[in-house]
Amino acid sequence: MHHFEYRNDSLHCEDVPVAHIARAVGTPLYLYSQATLERHFKAFQEAFAGAAPLVCYSAKANSSLAVLTLFRKWGSGLDIVSGGELFRGLKAGFEPRTIVYSGVGKRVDEIDAAIGHDILMFNIESMEELALINQRAGALNRRARIAIRINPDVDPQTHPYIATGLKKTKFGIDLATALAGYREARRMPNVEIAGIACHLGSQITSLGPFREAVTGLIQIFRELQALEIPVTYLDMGGGVGITYHEESPPRLDAYADTLIDAVDGTGLRLILEPGRVLVGNAGILVTRVLYRKQGKDKIFIVVDAGMNDLMRPALYQAYHAVQPVEQSARENIVADVVGPICESSDFLARDRSMPDACRDELLAVMGAGAYCFAMSSTYCSRPRVAEVMVYGDQFDVIRRPEDMQDLVRGEQLPHWLTKPSDPW
Ligand code: LLP
């Protein structure tokens, strides 16, 4: 149960009618259910209860300060990939010692900030990064804890753009190089080896890839033991999929058992970096129908949210269910649900069988809690939309909608265009 359900034909988020929030805040808007977030987080923690892992919520899925603060209060750590996510995490009150930092392109200023705050560990993605972190830690008079992110060359059987554990991708370090990396790291004065890390990809709907990867990583752990290189953590990344349409992702307890069984007896402490599985089905995008347009061959439902607000369908051909906020008896049609943007990729649903929709009515785009607002942009000078959190019968705006002034904030003309004598 995701706390989005119809009561008297009216879609509710927990105890609040979605239409009521849309009237109060305006559309489009993102709507999150706190009870769903909590249920998902607690279910994840409970699945791993036996192993007492460190769950580091993956900030990139939804980095709203309200969402981050909730996870922090429930005992989560944080997985970050940028200085901006470090900033947000600290603002949301995360203890630096619960923050892990992945990413192939960490800049010097970002590394310095993370070393300065003494985060739990860097997941190293190249030998050059390892050398740089050792050097920066030395310059800052610190020791940086590191894990090497292994690229296990495992096929996660997901969309190619979100598969990250295959050797043809830019992520992680191959097994042989990683072992050399650990040997080198042991000799570096300013780094402390803390763990082994990996991340296979996202929206993974079977256990096989996790099983294969964890087995490989435990072998590395054994090889490190033989070299007398101690490690504390095994960071298995994120990646567990959710149901958008007809996928049947693994149950969390089966996922947990797979990993717990593999580390059993090793003394390793698991770190997990779940994103989508915690937030994906805890949010929806509410949009209003602007026009119902009968094309030559197709019906287009033109709505006020576009690919700039929710780009997953355009980028990954992702499926998001679209449903009326107020249910009524009506004909089913096949239609494209499209936004106002000047591109044919601007669709939220394509060739979708759905209840007919008319001008001014509200539609809910489901499964929009993960990688939706987070990937939104102001393309076509469309201000970013509001985000609202619901809790029981209460709701509050957690991000006001941007306005026109926000669109031009920080912009200025070059000084030669501001002179009274400007010849243009
Ligand atoms: N850890 C690392 C190092 C990651 O790169 C990611 C996601 C996660 C954890 C969290 O993965 P999750 O549990 O959410 O699957 N924008 C795409 C998804 C990109 C995922 C990138 N990395 C989408 O909309 O599907």
Side-chain angles (χ1 to χ4, degrees):
M1 215 252 284
H2 294 305
H3 299 284
F4 293 96
E5 55 179 15
Y6 290 96
R7 296 188 193 165
N8 297 325
D9 288 332
S10 177
L11 185 65
H12 280 58
C13 175
E14 302 191 24
D15 298 328
V16 190
V18 169
H20 175 65
I21 301 174
R23 260 195 310 277
V25 179
T27 59
L29 75 99
Y30 277 98
L31 192 55
Y32 307 122
S33 152
Q34 179 170 324
T36 308
L37 292 171
E38 180 166 14
R39 210 179 61 92
H40 289 177
F41 186 76
K42 301 261 154 94
F44 196 92
Q45 259 183 336
E46 270 159 35
F48 281 93
L54 177 60
V55 178
C56 292
Y57 167 62
S58 191
K60 62 182 82 63
N62 185 323
S63 58
S64 148
L65 286 178
V67 171
L68 296 184
T69 302
L70 286 170
F71 285 129
R72 195 257 301 153
K73 283 178 182 285
W74 295 325
S76 183
L78 200 65
D79 156 47
I80 62 167
V81 288
S82 69
E85 288 185 350
L86 175 63
F87 171 78
R88 279 183 176 276
L90 295 172
K91 221 171 151 57
F94 283 90
E95 282 295 326
R97 288 295 287 259
T98 65
I99 298 178
V100 294
Y101 186 178
S102 304
V104 295
K106 304 177 186 82
R107 288 195 313 256
V108 172
D109 60 305
E110 295 176 310
I111 290 171
D112 284 2
I115 292 175
H117 285 287
D118 197 23
I119 63 162
L120 181 60
M121 67 185 190
F122 288 89
N123 291 345
I124 303 282
E125 306 232 15
S126 66
M127 299 298 270
E128 288 197 351
E129 181 193 333
L130 176 61
L132 178 62
I133 286 179
N134 178 48
Q135 185 206 324
R136 293 311 307 162
L140 297 167
N141 249 326
R142 296 287 180 98
R143 284 192 95 204
R145 280 170 298 277
I146 60 118
I148 293 189
R149 175 168 170 181
I150 312 273
N151 181 324
D153 198 23
V154 166
D155 184 356
Q157 290 148 17
T158 186
H159 190 282
Y161 287 6
I162 53 175
T164 50
L166 280 168
K167 66 172 183 250
K168 66 180 178 197
T169 68
K170 66 181 175 178
F171 298 96
I173 298 181
D174 67 89
L175 296 179
T177 314
L179 279 177
Y182 277 109
R183 282 210 192 88
E184 219 168 300
R186 174 162 59 177
R187 287 193 299 272
M188 291 178 167
N190 311 313
V191 301
E192 178 185 324
I193 296 171
I196 305 173
C198 86
H199 171 73
L200 301 180
S202 199
Q203 185 55 12
I204 299 173
T205 51
S206 61
L207 285 179
F210 293 110
R211 200 174 292 123
E212 193 182 334
V214 76
T215 308
L217 295 185
I218 296 295
Q219 267 167 27
I220 306 244
F221 168 68
R222 300 284 178 216
E223 291 186 44
L224 293 179
Q225 270 188 322
L227 294 168
E228 291 178 3
I229 298 178
V231 289
T232 311
Y233 299 104
L234 179 64
D235 180 346
M236 286 303 298
V240 180
I242 62 171
T243 303
Y244 287 102
H245 187 29
E246 286 167 341
E247 306 91 332
S248 41
R251 288 175 49 94
L252 284 181
D253 47 7
Y255 165 70
D257 288 347
T258 302
L259 301 185
I260 293 171
D261 288 352
V263 299
D264 192 34
T266 60
L268 286 166
R269 180 166 185 212
L270 274 172
I271 295 179
L272 302 148
E273 304 172 354
R276 187 189 318 265
V277 72
L278 300 182
V279 295
N281 281 326
I284 63 174
L285 171 68
V286 184
T287 183
R288 198 175 281 283
V289 177
L290 297 176
Y291 302 101
R292 182 188 186 283
K293 171 172 170 174
Q294 179 66 63
K296 191 96 185 79
D297 301 324
K298 260 190 179 185
I299 301 171
F300 297 97
I301 304 295
V302 185
V303 297
D304 64 0
M307 64 186 283
N308 69 300
D309 303 306
L310 200 170
M311 79 177 306
R312 301 192 68 255
L315 190 59
Y316 315 116
Q317 296 76 49
Y319 180 103
H320 287 266
V322 178
Q323 39 191 78
V325 167
E326 306 289 349
Q327 269 181 331
S328 59
R330 48 184 136 177
E331 212 189 316
N332 240 41
I333 55 166
V334 174
D336 283 9
V337 180
V338 301
I341 296 224
C342 46
E343 294 201 24
S344 302
S345 61
D346 181 25
F347 60 89
L348 299 178
R350 193 163 249 189
D351 296 324
R352 184 67 58 83
S353 167
M354 59 185 281
D356 204 351
C358 62
R359 192 169 149 67
D360 271 342
E361 87 161 288
L362 295 168
L363 297 179
V365 182
M366 309 305 288
Y371 305 109
C372 290
F373 184 88
M375 293 172 73
S376 67
S377 75
T378 57
Y379 182 39
C380 289
S381 287
R382 290 168 45 81
R384 263 180 289 247
V385 307
E387 292 178 285
V388 174
M389 184 73 72
V390 173
Y391 183 49
D393 60 2
Q394 319 171 59
F395 70 93
D396 217 342
V397 174
I398 58 168
R399 191 183 213 274
R400 66 161 174 83
E402 290 179 0
D403 60 24
M404 297 303 167
Q405 288 308 322
D406 291 319
L407 281 179
V408 292
R409 175 170 311 136
E411 289 190 37
Q412 58 183 17
L413 298 178
H415 62 83
W416 58 88
L417 279 190
T418 59
K419 295 206 178 94
S421 61
D422 122 35
W424 298 279

